[in-house]
Amino acid sequence: MSEKEIKNLEEIFEAKIARDEKIEPKDWMPEKYRKTHIRQMSQHAHSEIVGMLPEGNWITRAPSLRRKVALLAKVQDEAGHGLYLYSATETLGISRDELYDQLHSGKAKYSSIFNYPTITWADIGAIGWLVDGAAIINQVPLCSTSFGPYARAMVRVCKEESFHQRQGYEIMLTLCKGTPEQKEMAQDALNRWWWPSLMMFGPTDDESTHTEQSMKWKLKRKTNDELRQQFIDQTVPQADILGIKVPDEDLKWNEETGHYDFGKINWDEFWQVVKGHGPCNKERLQTRVDAWEGGEWVRDAAMAYAEKQADKKVKRAG
Ligand code: BYC
């Protein structure tokens, strides 16, 4: 393609973005736009799949049949989210096998939050309330992201996340209205999940490598710091209703800004976790690799069956 032709395509692409029109898989797009989307969307898909593990840990130990059913449904939803997102990523010209390989080799990232352990039942409440709560705040703006398949996947994902957030908050409410020991469990879970939940939104805007470009492309509609602040403003009053305390001595309502001021996030911890040195990184990755290897015979059998069916069809047609 000549330089002039490329320039022309770039102008058409930029004009579409400016008009808030969706970019679809067969439309021309700059290579960097394609790569950035593969990166973010696949990391999002991996996060959903790895995110099933901390909660899966509690399915057999849920305190009642009702809790078990709700948790099972939530974890299944997360598998569904991962699958939509992998499919949407494949429309950008990368195969599912390559995406899995990036996860299993440790090349691709997934959300830092899933490298923390779920020690008590209250952690399941805290994950629903805080982690899914953070995910909704992050993902609602993604419903109007510029890449069509990602935006459409997000609409359904957000509806399901809002159910997840409520089931988590309801677990926390029940514990907080229960015995002093149960309330203490809820407080302990908040203490452990609060700061990692704030880290989910990524580094501060001045440390974020991709925000500026992603905002221009309307991949991101809000910055990491804007979303984090929105999460804090929304969540602190919910902790007040529960009667438990957010573990931040510097947390204070600021009349002037109309937002909560908050304490310093431990960014060293964040980067340690992102680089693979969190409390559960090795265990999480190993579980995914084992599942992939253990499922090989199922994939082989499904392929052999599909080939046989295709052969039969050809023979019948002949
Ligand atoms: N963890 O330039 P930045 C869920 C990386 S799952 C790990 O700000 P960006 C759920 C970042 O990738 C929710 N890494 O990046 C499931 C980049 O490194 P690379 C998952 C992180 O992309 C089950 C570097 O740091 N949600 O809801 O502009 C149960 C610099 O960052 C993290 C999504 O994936 C992190 N927290 O912004 C319950 C949402 N943060 O790639 C719930 C979609 C940053 O250059 N993703 N990094 O090597 C996004 O919105 C954006 O990718 C982020 C980061 C806001 C996360």
Side-chain angles (χ1 to χ4, degrees), residues 55-75:
E55 291 172 298
N57 181 34
W58 278 89
I59 291 174
T60 54
R61 292 179 288 156
S64 71
L65 182 61
R66 178 174 165 263
R67 294 291 187 207
K68 191 193 285 261
V69 169
L71 184 58
L72 257 177
K74 178 181 195 282
V75 173

Side-chain angles (χ1 to χ4, degrees), residues 30-299:
E31 192 51 19
K32 264 183 87 181
Y33 178 93
R34 196 178 72 83
K35 288 224 167 97
T36 293
H37 276 75
I38 291 178
R39 180 188 63 79
Q40 178 167 323
M41 291 165 66
S42 63
Q43 290 182 2
H44 195 162
H46 300 325
S47 303
E48 297 283 355
I49 298 300
V50 178
M52 295 163 72
L53 301 175
E55 291 172 298
N57 181 34
W58 278 89
I59 291 174
T60 54
R61 292 179 288 156
S64 71
L65 182 61
R66 178 174 165 263
R67 294 291 187 207
K68 191 193 285 261
V69 169
L71 184 58
L72 257 177
K74 178 181 195 282
V75 173
Q76 281 178 348
D77 284 350
E78 277 143 16
H81 299 172
L83 298 183
Y84 307 144
L85 285 164
Y86 281 130
S87 299
T89 314
E90 282 177 290
T91 67
L92 288 161
I94 185 161
S95 71
R96 187 81 59 107
D97 280 356
E98 277 174 273
L99 294 171
Y100 286 152
D101 186 55
Q102 289 176 356
L103 173 67
H104 299 153
S105 64
K107 199 173 147 218
K109 293 189 169 72
Y110 57 86
S111 183
S112 49
I113 193 77
F114 302 116
N115 293 304
Y116 291 86
T118 41
I119 299 164
T120 73
W121 171 249
D123 290 2
I124 301 305
I127 290 182
W129 171 37
L130 301 173
V131 176
D132 288 272
I136 296 170
I137 286 179
N138 170 277
Q139 286 166 197
V140 166
L142 292 175
C143 295
S144 56
T145 190
S146 61
F147 185 54
Y150 195 22
R152 290 188 287 275
M154 280 302 113
V155 173
R156 171 131 183 214
V157 168
C158 283
K159 284 187 188 153
E160 292 176 351
E161 297 290 25
S162 103
F163 156 73
H164 298 168
Q165 196 269 352
R166 280 178 217 171
Q167 70 83 39
Y169 193 68
E170 204 239 339
I171 293 174
M172 295 301 273
L173 259 178
T174 306
L175 291 172
C176 290
K177 284 196 282 186
T179 62
E181 289 80 7
Q182 284 173 318
K183 191 161 181 185
E184 188 43 48
M185 265 171 70
Q187 178 66 61
D188 171 62
L190 173 59
N191 293 348
R192 284 180 291 107
W193 290 92
W194 176 255
W195 292 103
S197 298
L198 300 190
M199 295 173 194
M200 279 178 78
F201 296 95
T204 53
D205 292 350
D206 51 352
E207 294 286 322
S208 163
T209 4
H210 304 291
T211 296
E212 196 184 340
Q213 182 60 64
S214 292
M215 293 287 284
K216 281 188 192 146
W217 279 330
K218 298 184 180 168
L219 161 57
K220 282 169 100 163
R221 311 296 307 234
K222 290 190 179 182
T223 71
N224 300 358
D225 286 335
E226 285 168 349
L227 292 169
R228 188 168 14 249
Q229 185 69 58
Q230 192 181 330
F231 173 75
I232 294 169
D233 292 347
Q234 178 179 305
T235 311
V236 172
Q238 295 171 351
D240 293 343
I241 292 171
L242 293 172
I244 50 181
K245 192 174 175 297
V246 172
D248 178 355
E249 291 307 323
D250 297 320
L251 189 72
K252 216 172 111 211
W253 178 251
N254 184 328
E255 276 299 340
E256 233 167 79
T257 59
H259 295 291
Y260 280 94
D261 292 335
F262 56 95
K264 210 173 160 312
I265 294 172
N266 184 346
W267 291 113
D268 287 343
E269 174 182 325
F270 170 75
W271 289 116
Q272 280 300 313
V273 176
V274 170
K275 286 180 189 151
H277 312 302
C280 301
N281 292 63
K282 288 194 180 64
E283 183 188 330
R284 299 283 184 250
L285 209 54
Q286 194 56 51
T287 307
R288 287 312 314 155
V289 170
D290 290 348
W292 177 250
E293 288 172 356
E296 191 177 2
W297 69 272
V298 181
R299 294 191 297 279

